[in-house]
Amino acid sequence: MGINNQNITIKKSTTTKINEVDFSNLSFGENFTDHMFECDYIDGEWTNAQIRPYGPISLDPSAKVFHYGQAIFEGMKAYKSVDGAVWLFRPEDNLIRLNKSAVRLAIPEFPKDLFFDGMELLLNIDKEWIQTTEGSSMYIRPFIIATEPGVSASPAKRYKFMFILSPAQSYYSGEVKVLFADKYSRSASGGVGFAKCAGNYAGQFYPTKLANDAGYQQVVWTDSSTHENLEEAGTMNVFFRVGDTLITAPTSDRILDGITRKSVIAIAEKAGYKVEIRDVSVYEIEEAAKNGTLLEMFGAGTAAVINPIVSFNFKGNDYDLPKLENSYASIIKKKITDIQTGKAEDPFGWKYAVRSI
Amino acid sequence: MGINNQNITIKKSTTTKINEVDFSNLSFGENFTDHMFECDYIDGEWTNAQIRPYGPISLDPSAKVFHYGQAIFEGMKAYKSVDGAVWLFRPEDNLIRLNKSAVRLAIPEFPKDLFFDGMELLLNIDKEWIQTTEGSSMYIRPFIIATEPGVSASPAKRYKFMFILSPAQSYYSGEVKVLFADKYSRSASGGVGFAKCAGNYAGQFYPTKLANDAGYQQVVWTDSSTHENLEEAGTMNVFFRVGDTLITAPTSDRILDGITRKSVIAIAEKAGYKVEIRDVSVYEIEEAAKNGTLLEMFGAGTAAVINPIVSFNFKGNDYDLPKLENSYASIIKKKITDIQTGKAEDPFGWKYAVRSI
């Protein structure tokens, strides 16, 4: 195997679940392929790299991930053409971000060669699972968890890195109405908001549930000090179109440096749109909604790529956004997904060809 | 069994590890008893309550605890007298706080009867592990984790509750020097700082490691907006003695409502000390250190009970605290531990007698 230079042990499954999966009707993140990659951090090094049949992992009940939350992840997608070529979208950016998250969570960084060899071997082994029909992709979930036993609050000495794969379809979340947060918060200055760590998600579930109960699908988080600046939506970065200008908050230690966000900015700039990366005040957006200059809001993230927002609520008042033909959201989404799926040229060099074994 | 009214299944271990444990030389949280309690939340109810031999648990690699951090816990202690009586310290407060954490993390609350029956049955079964020598206790770790598989960011529908038990000695952490945080933060207003959730701990490890490398054992966290108010130390609440007044920050959505903290306040007030529960400015404490009125600082938490602090660093300047005879810390610690261990009367009604089977 030309791409396995890392002594990854391979144990293949003797059966496949592929015929049990209805690829035309997939729920996001619920089906997993026949194999998984795992690698353990023991005595100061990543070791025991292996691909084996997908299945449960066994941990001591005192494993630190259960008690002290050292857990980070990434989300990526692979695509396959009808001639069998497989590629990824900006995968090195995911590895760089994973390792930034690792540093902040006191988790050892994961080596680049092992990341790529492990992921590409696994994608080759489960290649049949990557569909070529319109909108299909393979969602890739790399993650690291603290496995060392012991209920004392200190960084673990043992970890497990894994890749698991989940086939995905294009994601339509329905009409998205959002609530601007004015009480609850996602992250603090000096905290872990920029890291893709497990705890950032659990903290959002309860306030999101309150928003859901009130008829809003997502919360747009504001800064925790003043609740005056719009930051991100927890699983998406957020863009605002005021007049012909596209505005999004700068990344900070409170905001995830989204890869789709960066791609939206690059594509918008290349398309000649005016893009401003600066603090976005809730009052500015409310005023723009009132005077009719707020034309669009949308979220940007790996799962949905671009998720248009149809209305927002701020301090009890609802504001609807206009329904536009040829919205920036639809134009930018098409440009990104055409690159991702190979329908258009990739002038940015974002596609990474997965090596064949 | 008179205390098992909850249909808890019991499967006893055929062997014991008790003879492998050096009870005179225990590291905190590293040894566990022969049995554990577990209970699963499935289809909207807590079910399958059982006590079985301590051992690994098996989870799907996509289990939500690994990815989205729904994980909460408590820390409690049991004590045993030479005549075999076993008791707990303010256990209902732990259950109340566990369920407050549960609500904030969108985890189902755990029922009181099952909590007490499960814990007391387990303590009876592993009673031999509770030592009666000076300073001995049984550390009890209840925790809940999200077990449902699936890599979509939403609250799980399945959870596991567990009790695990770890024998403990009195805890001496050495001389504790602390750093007042002026860059990193533990929690945000509107966030999860008051909850005993896993993610709150992982976020502290990296800044604590930086502090350790600089020669400080712990960080005293300040508010994330201004870094001007002293809040808590992550595994301890913090008290300041200025002149004859004991001062501690009020609890808030950023600060854990510590049971040892509450007990310190009650004992100090009963002893006739002046206690102020109010915002504590870093500048006030720095000024008190400079003019000699800052007499003590100490942490309060379940593991160490009271942890005296010998010096603090604020923005690069170190301030030593005086070494006092008959410090408030030593007097209050003796009063609490005498109640906990049964050496003194319990005028507060804090002790809870564990029922025998």
Side-chain angles (χ1 to χ4, degrees):
Chain A
M1 302 216 184
I3 68 172
N4 185 1
N5 303 309
Q6 306 292 325
N7 298 315
I8 298 167
T9 305
I10 298 171
K11 185 187 170 195
K12 288 203 186 172
S13 176
T14 55
T15 58
T16 178
K17 300 170 295 189
I18 198 166
N19 297 319
E20 297 162 25
V21 176
D22 178 2
F23 285 94
S24 65
N25 188 25
L26 294 169
S27 289
F28 183 80
E30 290 194 1
N31 296 281
F32 296 92
T33 66
D34 290 324
H35 300 86
M36 61 188 190
F37 172 89
E38 66 180 319
C39 187
D40 293 310
Y41 187 83
I42 301 171
D43 295 337
E45 60 176 1
W46 289 103
T47 186
N48 300 340
Q50 57 180 304
I51 289 171
R52 65 176 176 94
Y54 186 93
I57 56 174
S58 181
L59 291 176
D60 194 273
S62 73
K64 292 204 178 196
V65 63
F66 298 140
H67 303 269
Y68 305 117
Q70 280 182 292
I72 57 176
F73 70 92
E74 283 294 319
M76 312 168 67
K77 280 183 180 169
Y79 304 87
K80 191 169 79 174
S81 65
V82 287
D83 65 5
V86 177
W87 62 89
L88 297 158
F89 185 71
R90 310 187 77 170
E92 195 166 340
D93 289 351
N94 289 97
L95 175 64
I96 290 168
R97 191 173 61 188
L98 180 77
N99 282 334
K100 281 185 186 167
S101 299
V103 169
R104 184 60 182 84
L105 276 292
I107 290 171
E109 295 176 66
F110 197 75
K112 180 176 171 180
D113 288 348
L114 199 47
F115 185 86
F116 277 91
D117 281 13
M119 177 168 54
E120 293 180 61
L121 265 177
L122 183 62
L123 285 168
N124 271 279
I125 288 169
D126 282 338
K127 194 172 179 177
E128 292 304 309
W129 286 77
I130 316 175
Q131 304 289 296
T132 58
T133 48
E134 178 79 23
S136 292
S137 63
M138 178 60 73
Y139 182 79
I140 304 168
R141 172 59 59 96
F143 65 102
I144 305 179
I145 54 174
T147 54
E148 190 192 15
V151 292
S152 59
S154 59
K157 294 187 185 73
R158 292 188 173 204
Y159 298 85
K160 187 181 286 294
F161 173 99
M162 299 189 80
F163 282 114
I164 54 177
L165 305 179
S166 179
Q169 286 176 302
S170 65
Y171 186 93
Y172 176 65
S173 51
E175 288 212 332
V176 176
K177 299 178 176 184
V178 299
L179 195 66
F180 289 176
D182 62 359
K183 177 182 173 191
Y184 291 101
S185 304
R186 177 182 172 275
S187 64
S189 293
V192 298
F194 72 98
K196 213 162 170 66
C197 62
N200 282 341
Y201 295 80
Q204 298 178 63
F205 290 164
Y206 174 70
T208 301
K209 193 159 73 76
L210 296 181
N212 294 163
D213 291 346
Y216 305 93
Q217 286 72 47
Q218 303 233 13
V219 176
V220 177
W221 301 104
T222 49
D223 69 286
S224 67
S225 297
T226 66
H227 294 297
E228 287 183 9
N229 288 311
L230 293 156
E231 301 209 315
E232 63 144 288
T235 58
M236 313 188 296
N237 295 103
V238 181
F239 287 80
F240 306 86
R241 177 182 170 189
V242 178
D244 286 338
T245 304
L246 202 55
I247 311 170
T248 195
T251 55
S252 71
D253 63 3
R254 297 185 305 274
I255 302 181
L256 192 81
D257 183 12
I259 293 164
T260 310
R261 174 187 175 278
K262 289 194 294 193
S263 307
V264 166
I265 293 168
I267 281 176
E269 287 179 339
K270 193 175 172 76
Y273 300 157
K274 187 174 174 203
V275 179
E276 292 179 0
I277 299 166
R278 59 166 173 81
D279 288 343
V280 188
S281 157
V282 287
Y283 300 110
E284 171 189 0
I285 296 304
E286 185 183 38
E287 182 55 33
K290 285 179 177 170
N291 69 26
T293 56
L294 180 69
L295 300 182
E296 297 182 47
M297 279 176 59
F298 58 87
T302 295
V305 188
I306 300 283
N307 215 333
I309 293 164
V310 301
S311 73
F312 70 91
N313 181 293
F314 175 56
K315 293 193 174 170
N317 297 310
D318 284 300
Y319 300 91
D320 288 330
L321 280 101
K323 291 182 177 31
L324 298 186
E325 298 288 314
N326 299 313
S327 64
Y328 283 11
S330 63
I331 292 167
I332 293 169
K333 179 170 185 172
K334 184 167 178 359
K335 284 180 188 283
I336 293 184
T337 53
D338 281 357
I339 293 172
Q340 287 176 331
T341 59
K343 282 188 190 160
E345 287 301 303
D346 170 20
F348 303 98
W350 287 338
K351 284 169 65 182
Y352 172 92
V354 169
R355 294 163 289 171
S356 290
I357 56 175
Chain B
M1 298 211 192
I3 69 172
N4 185 2
N5 303 310
Q6 306 293 321
N7 297 315
I8 298 167
T9 304
I10 297 171
K11 186 187 169 192
K12 287 203 188 174
S13 176
T14 55
T15 58
T16 178
K17 300 171 293 188
I18 198 166
N19 298 318
E20 297 162 25
V21 176
D22 178 1
F23 284 94
S24 65
N25 188 25
L26 294 168
S27 289
F28 184 80
E30 290 194 0
N31 296 282
F32 296 93
T33 64
D34 289 324
H35 298 87
M36 61 189 190
F37 172 90
E38 65 181 319
C39 187
D40 293 312
Y41 186 83
I42 300 172
D43 294 336
E45 60 176 0
W46 289 103
T47 185
N48 298 341
Q50 57 180 304
I51 288 171
R52 64 176 177 95
Y54 187 94
I57 56 174
S58 181
L59 291 176
D60 195 273
S62 73
K64 293 202 178 198
V65 63
F66 298 140
H67 303 269
Y68 305 118
Q70 280 182 292
I72 57 175
F73 70 93
E74 282 294 321
M76 312 168 67
K77 281 183 179 168
Y79 304 86
K80 190 170 79 175
S81 64
V82 287
D83 65 5
V86 177
W87 62 89
L88 298 158
F89 185 70
R90 310 186 78 171
E92 193 165 343
D93 289 350
N94 289 97
L95 175 64
I96 291 168
R97 190 172 63 188
L98 180 78
N99 283 335
K100 282 186 186 166
S101 299
V103 169
R104 184 60 183 83
L105 276 292
I107 291 172
E109 294 177 65
F110 197 74
K112 181 176 171 181
D113 288 347
L114 200 45
F115 185 86
F116 277 91
D117 281 12
M119 177 166 55
E120 293 180 60
L121 265 178
L122 184 60
L123 285 168
N124 271 278
I125 288 170
D126 282 338
K127 194 172 178 178
E128 292 304 308
W129 287 77
I130 316 175
Q131 303 288 298
T132 57
T133 50
E134 178 80 24
S136 293
S137 63
M138 179 60 75
Y139 182 80
I140 305 168
R141 171 58 61 96
F143 64 103
I144 306 179
I145 54 174
T147 54
E148 189 192 17
V151 293
S152 60
S154 59
K157 294 188 185 73
R158 292 189 175 203
Y159 298 84
K160 188 181 286 294
F161 174 99
M162 299 189 78
F163 282 114
I164 54 177
L165 305 180
S166 179
Q169 287 175 301
S170 66
Y171 185 92
Y172 176 66
S173 52
E175 288 213 331
V176 176
K177 299 179 176 184
V178 300
L179 195 65
F180 289 175
D182 62 359
K183 177 182 173 191
Y184 291 101
S185 305
R186 177 182 172 274
S187 64
S189 293
V192 297
F194 71 98
K196 212 161 171 66
C197 63
N200 282 342
Y201 294 82
Q204 298 179 61
F205 289 165
Y206 175 70
T208 302
K209 192 158 74 79
L210 296 180
N212 294 162
D213 292 347
Y216 305 93
Q217 286 72 46
Q218 302 234 14
V219 176
V220 177
W221 300 104
T222 49
D223 69 286
S224 68
S225 298
T226 67
H227 294 296
E228 286 182 10
N229 289 311
L230 293 157
E231 302 207 314
E232 63 144 291
T235 58
M236 312 188 296
N237 295 102
V238 181
F239 287 80
F240 306 87
R241 176 183 170 189
V242 178
D244 286 337
T245 304
L246 202 56
I247 311 168
T248 196
T251 55
S252 71
D253 63 3
R254 297 185 306 273
I255 301 181
L256 192 80
D257 184 11
I259 293 164
T260 309
R261 173 188 176 278
K262 288 194 294 192
S263 306
V264 166
I265 293 168
I267 281 178
E269 288 178 339
K270 193 175 172 73
Y273 301 156
K274 188 174 174 202
V275 179
E276 292 180 1
I277 298 167
R278 59 166 173 82
D279 288 344
V280 187
S281 156
V282 287
Y283 300 110
E284 172 189 358
I285 297 303
E286 185 183 39
E287 182 55 33
K290 284 179 178 170
N291 69 26
T293 56
L294 181 67
L295 301 182
E296 297 183 49
M297 279 177 59
F298 59 87
T302 296
V305 187
I306 300 283
N307 215 334
I309 293 165
V310 300
S311 74
F312 71 90
N313 181 292
F314 174 55
K315 293 192 173 170
N317 297 310
D318 284 300
Y319 300 90
D320 289 329
L321 280 100
K323 291 183 181 27
L324 298 186
E325 297 288 316
N326 299 313
S327 65
Y328 283 9
S330 63
I331 292 167
I332 293 169
K333 179 170 184 172
K334 182 165 178 358
K335 284 179 187 284
I336 293 185
T337 53
D338 280 356
I339 293 172
Q340 287 176 330
T341 59
K343 282 189 191 161
E345 286 302 302
D346 171 20
F348 303 97
W350 286 338
K351 284 169 67 182
Y352 172 92
V354 170
R355 293 163 288 169
S356 291
I357 56 176

